[in-house]
């Protein structure tokens, strides 16, 4: 037999093997295409026997900066298939067994991420690009390290720890009592701030405290900056409790505290838990203070003539004569005002 005949015969045999491999991969729903060599087809066929997936990282939300999806296997060099919005790619596992892709942030976008290891589904998720990450925390998880403590002046003394009320854990934040000072707890997830055109909802389960005869001032708030040059910052919108009053206040670059809407009537101190809810979307605000099913304060209006933000940070704060605040839970999420 001539050399040419041998080549033709061998090519025929290889073609037959290639066809069988492709058919088998199709049968087991394992991805392949015509660019793969016969060795790569055979490698993929080995995945039909299963590969141990050690871990996956996935999320149904993507925040500014994007999000890395990953699949970690026991072995390196394994081809992992990814489909981002239907577009396929192969990312082999690195020396640590990790295969990863990053989905970029596109404002208001939605999409899909699918990942398979051979015929084994690893990730199959619908995602949404949100303006910022939600934050949910309960004191019984002991996450004191999840907050930045911001103070003015910076040398004012404070404590931040876990305490209890009626056998339930609460965050316990205290400071020196005196005029012209403030201590704020800001979740670290918002260390870079939130764009002022985004809407937000903050809900905090608070206990009002009185540790001196001077009074108190405590609130949940949106603040303009973490680098304070004044205890009132340059912009603050707060939902707070005050001696014989409760409600919404604000200040701007002149640092003067003004009422948005404040109602008379004292909140119970020390033992009663209240839920403070503040909704804000580019100048539109809703606010409630309630205990159980009872509303102690409600307000809703467009206040864009009073205050707007370029950037804001959600904060829990005590200031001036306030010296002590406790909270059981925090929930922060994007919110959009929809005019009826």
């Amino acid at each position: 037999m001539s050399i040419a005949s041998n080549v033709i015969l061998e090519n025929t045999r290889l073609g037959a093997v290639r066809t069988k491999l492709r058919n088998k991969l199709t049968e087991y729903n394992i991805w392949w295409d015509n660019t793969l060599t016969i060795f790569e087809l055979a490698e993929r066929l080995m995945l039909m026997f299963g590969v141990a997936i050690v871990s996956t990282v996935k999320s149904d939300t993507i925040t500014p900066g994007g999000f890395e999806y990953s699949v970690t296997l026991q072995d390196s060099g394994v081809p992992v298939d990814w489909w981002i919005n239907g577009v396929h790619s192969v990312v082999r596992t690195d020396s640590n067994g990790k295969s990863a892709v990053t989905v970029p942030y596109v404002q208001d976008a939605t999409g899909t991420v699918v990942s398979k290891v051979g015929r084994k589904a690893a990730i199959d998720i619908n995602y949404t690009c949100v303006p910022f990450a939600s934050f949910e925390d309960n004191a019984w998880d002991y996450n004191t390290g999840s907050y930045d403590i911001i103070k003015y002046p910076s040398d004012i003394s404070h404590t931040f720890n876990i305490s209890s009320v009626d056998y339930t854990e609460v965050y316990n934040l205290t400071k020196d009592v005196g005029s012209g000072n403030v201590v704020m707890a800001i979740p670290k997830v918002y260390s870079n701030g939130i764009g002022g055109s985004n809407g937000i909802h903050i809900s905090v389960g608070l206990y009002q405290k009185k540790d001196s005869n001077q009074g108190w001032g405590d609130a949940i708030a949106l603040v303009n900056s973490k680098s304070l040059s004044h205890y009132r910052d340059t912009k603050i919108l707060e939902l707070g409790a005050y001696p014989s009053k409760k409600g919404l206040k604000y200040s701007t670059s002149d640092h003067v505290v003004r009422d948005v809407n404040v109602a008379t009537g004292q909140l119970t101190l020390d033992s009663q838990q209240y839920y403070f809810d503040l909704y804000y979307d580019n100048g539109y605000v809703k606010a409630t203070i309630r205990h159980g099913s009872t509303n102690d304060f409600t307000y809703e209006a467009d206040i864009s003539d009073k205050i707007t933000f370029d950037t804001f940070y959600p904060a829990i704060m005590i200031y001036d004569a306030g010296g002590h605040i406790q909270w059981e839970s925090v929930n922060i999420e994007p919110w959009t005002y929809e005019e009826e």
Side-chain angles (χ1 to χ4, degrees), residues 114-177:
V114 176
S115 180
K116 288 178 66 178
V117 183
R119 59 175 176 167
K120 182 179 292 185
I123 295 173
D124 188 345
I125 199 163
N126 297 317
Y127 71 79
T128 301
C129 291
V130 295
F132 57 87
S134 297
F135 177 78
E136 181 176 355
D137 184 40
N138 294 287
W140 51 81
D141 292 326
Y142 287 71
N143 292 326
T144 53
S146 296
Y147 297 84
D148 288 325
I149 302 299
I150 311 299
K151 303 189 293 183
Y152 182 87
S154 59
D155 60 354
I156 186 176
S157 65
H158 82 284
T159 61
F160 183 44
N161 52 33
I162 302 294
S163 184
S164 64
V165 175
D166 295 331
Y167 306 103
T168 298
E169 287 83 357
V170 293
Y171 286 108
N172 193 64
L173 180 62
T174 71
K175 71 168 184 65
D176 291 339
V177 175

Side-chain angles (χ1 to χ4, degrees), residues 267-311:
L267 297 183
T268 300
L269 298 176
D270 297 326
S271 60
Q272 176 66 58
Q273 185 185 47
Y274 293 88
Y275 281 92
F276 282 48
D277 283 272
L278 178 61
Y279 300 79
Y280 178 84
D281 186 8
N282 206 26
Y284 195 89
V285 65
K286 293 199 308 180
T288 62
I289 301 174
R290 61 182 170 83
H291 69 279
S293 60
T294 301
N295 281 337
D296 299 277
F297 174 82
T298 61
Y299 180 78
E300 181 173 355
D302 186 332
I303 61 167
S304 55
D305 61 326
K306 296 179 173 61
I307 191 170
T308 58
F309 293 93
D310 296 319
T311 302

